[in-house]
Amino acid sequence: MYLLMVIHLQLKLFTVGPVACYPQVLEEMGRQMFSHRSKDYIDLHKDLTFLLKEFLETEGEIFFFPSSGTGFMEASVRNCVERKMLICVNGSFGERYVEVARANGKEVVVLETQLGEPTMPDVLDDYLRRNPDVEAVAITHNETSVGLINPLEKLASVVKSHGKLLFVDAVSSMGGVDIKVDKWGIDVCFTSSQKCFGIPPGLAVASVSAEALKKSANMRNKGWYFDFILYKKYNEEFNVPTTPPIPQMLGLRRILRMIRDEWGGKYKYFELYRERNRIIREGVEKIGLTLFPRKGFESPTVSCINAPKGMSGDEVYEAMRARGFELARGYGKVRGKTFRIGNMGYIEFKDIYEMLKNLEEVVKSKS
């Protein structure tokens, strides 16, 4: 077991998920299992609910799904949209939201920007004025495919001014940047365990508002497995309708307690993410590389970088992997033209500097 861990840790992860896990998290996840109908589980569920409500600044329901974040993406559509919704698209994961909605028979108004460009509040306001019959708006907070973060607080204000439900894909932002769920009026805000919290994949987490639950209560043909009302019923006893990923939940409780009790609170944790990201962005620019998204809207958790002259993004990825660093390939329409460097999960500053040194050598070897 120890030998296997050593082998895997030799490859330093700068991926966009799954990411490297904190040692304390892996230790916690190594505990013997217990029944999800036992007091041990109820206590875990209760602790996590309190910690996440505090972290997200919400009085809404907290749900735990045995899935990736895409499970909540589909659940938001099935539980809260009868006919029509608006989806903001800045890249591949906004496109996925569109695919999910249409696969569930919903009519979709697509607000799509040029790749690398954010959704701006005035444009969203115009779309909502021209489409007053949409029931909800979906926004990808942090578009991982192009390394771009949208101005969520301002966009949320526009959505609420039109009286619409708001769904936020916070898969690669929750835990890395502040999200004030109730203050901003977010109705469904979801993430996956394998991103900013530095936990293995398998757990999806979301906050769900009273308005979203009200819509779900009267929704027909919404399915069973991801039914918000079913989860709310079990939540009343701090339980779940089906077997949950208990190890991931234990890991999440551990990291949230560490953030609160050992690392100075969530704002210190966000500061750590900003500093990692700053070092990476300044480092790649010093090498002579450029970032893909519009300046001022760069993601705080993943940098999308234009491939250097004479190399494809895939070639950079392969060359770095051969040196012991797992970055991330370009994704979707910009694959080959870009590569990505994530700064989520368990990363030490010395590893960032070592990675940048190797990246400079890779780039200069082809110049």
Side-chain angles (χ1 to χ4, degrees):
M1 178 67 164
Y2 176 76
L3 179 59
L4 283 174
M5 285 187 67
V6 170
I7 291 171
H8 286 303
L9 287 174
Q10 286 177 349
L11 198 63
K12 294 176 180 176
L13 299 185
F14 290 85
T15 62
V16 295
V19 300
C21 302
Y22 289 91
Q24 301 95 319
V25 166
L26 295 175
E27 178 185 21
E28 184 75 9
M29 291 179 67
R31 291 173 50 180
Q32 184 58 270
M33 282 297 88
F34 45 81
S35 168
H36 64 297
R37 303 302 181 207
S38 68
K39 183 180 182 302
D40 290 324
Y41 176 79
I42 291 169
D43 288 344
L44 170 62
H45 192 119
K46 189 182 298 184
D47 287 348
L48 267 181
T49 299
F50 173 80
L51 288 164
L52 283 163
K53 283 189 174 188
E54 182 180 59
F55 194 88
L56 296 173
E57 300 182 29
T58 183
E59 293 302 318
E61 294 284 332
I62 301 293
F63 293 153
F64 305 101
F65 280 3
S67 74
S68 67
T70 307
F72 269 111
M73 187 182 286
E74 181 153 281
S76 68
V77 172
R78 293 184 67 89
N79 281 268
C80 303
V81 180
E82 292 179 38
R83 187 179 68 85
K84 187 176 182 181
M85 65 184 296
L86 186 152
I87 300 176
C88 301
V89 177
N90 309 99
S92 296
F93 293 96
E95 290 175 353
R96 178 180 295 184
Y97 225 130
V98 174
E99 291 175 15
V100 168
R102 287 176 174 163
N104 281 283
K106 312 305 177 184
E107 183 181 347
V108 180
V109 176
V110 179
L111 194 176
E112 186 168 9
T113 64
Q114 182 178 338
L115 287 178
E117 292 292 323
T119 302
M120 299 306 289
D122 59 333
V123 178
L124 177 58
D125 183 63
D126 179 60
Y127 266 67
L128 286 171
R129 289 182 189 281
R130 289 190 283 118
N131 296 277
D133 57 338
V134 300
E135 302 153 60
V137 175
I139 297 170
T140 306
H141 187 195
N142 193 70
E143 179 51 74
T144 321
S145 66
V146 293
L148 176 143
I149 191 162
N150 279 301
L152 179 57
E153 183 178 2
K154 293 178 181 178
L155 294 172
S157 179
V158 171
V159 174
K160 294 292 109 174
S161 73
H162 287 267
K164 309 301 180 183
L165 291 176
L166 174 58
F167 310 150
V168 174
D169 173 349
V171 167
S172 60
S173 62
M174 188 188 294
V177 66
D178 197 22
I179 301 173
K180 298 183 185 299
V181 167
D182 287 0
K183 184 178 180 180
W184 297 351
I186 304 172
D187 293 289
V188 181
C189 186
F190 60 88
T191 192
S192 300
S193 54
Q194 76 275 14
K195 301 285 186 174
C196 297
F197 289 120
I199 301 163
L203 171 68
V205 175
S207 63
V208 179
S209 73
E211 282 300 309
L213 289 169
K214 183 178 178 182
K215 195 73 182 279
S216 176
N218 298 309
M219 190 64 63
R220 296 165 57 189
N221 301 320
K222 60 182 171 179
W224 186 91
Y225 196 62
F226 292 142
D227 178 3
F228 285 167
I229 300 304
L230 178 65
Y231 270 79
K232 182 179 184 300
K233 175 185 174 183
Y234 277 84
N235 246 11
E236 291 169 2
E237 297 181 354
F238 298 102
N239 218 294
V240 283
T242 61
T243 307
I246 292 173
Q248 282 83 348
M249 294 178 74
L250 287 167
L252 181 57
R253 180 172 66 178
R254 182 66 175 267
I255 195 69
L256 288 169
R257 284 177 171 175
M258 288 164 61
I259 292 169
R260 184 192 64 185
D261 301 333
E262 301 174 30
W263 295 346
K266 67 177 183 177
Y267 293 105
K268 287 287 186 182
Y269 192 57
F270 301 151
E271 189 178 307
L272 170 66
Y273 266 81
R274 283 194 299 273
E275 183 63 8
R276 287 178 184 171
N277 188 261
R278 180 192 67 79
I279 293 169
I280 290 170
R281 286 193 287 113
E282 290 181 358
V284 298
E285 288 173 347
K286 186 177 178 182
I287 293 169
L289 300 174
T290 58
L291 296 168
F292 182 81
R294 186 208 287 191
K295 190 172 179 60
F297 294 91
E298 301 94 342
S299 163
T301 62
V302 52
S303 298
C304 184
I305 301 153
N306 292 309
K309 187 175 180 180
M311 292 185 77
S312 69
D314 286 348
E315 287 174 325
V316 174
Y317 166 81
E318 293 293 352
M320 288 296 288
R321 197 172 198 281
R323 288 166 172 256
F325 298 91
E326 180 84 9
L327 307 186
R329 300 178 189 272
Y331 195 92
K333 294 174 184 175
V334 293
R335 177 165 178 174
K337 300 175 183 178
T338 63
F339 65 97
R340 296 172 296 161
I341 302 175
N343 56 273
M344 295 177 277
Y346 177 56
I347 297 174
E348 296 186 353
F349 285 105
K350 63 181 179 63
D351 296 326
I352 296 175
Y353 290 117
E354 186 183 355
M355 179 273 296
L356 288 170
K357 178 177 178 294
N358 278 268
L359 180 60
E360 181 176 18
E361 291 172 359
V362 165
V363 170
K364 287 186 174 178
S365 71
K366 294 290 183 177
S367 61

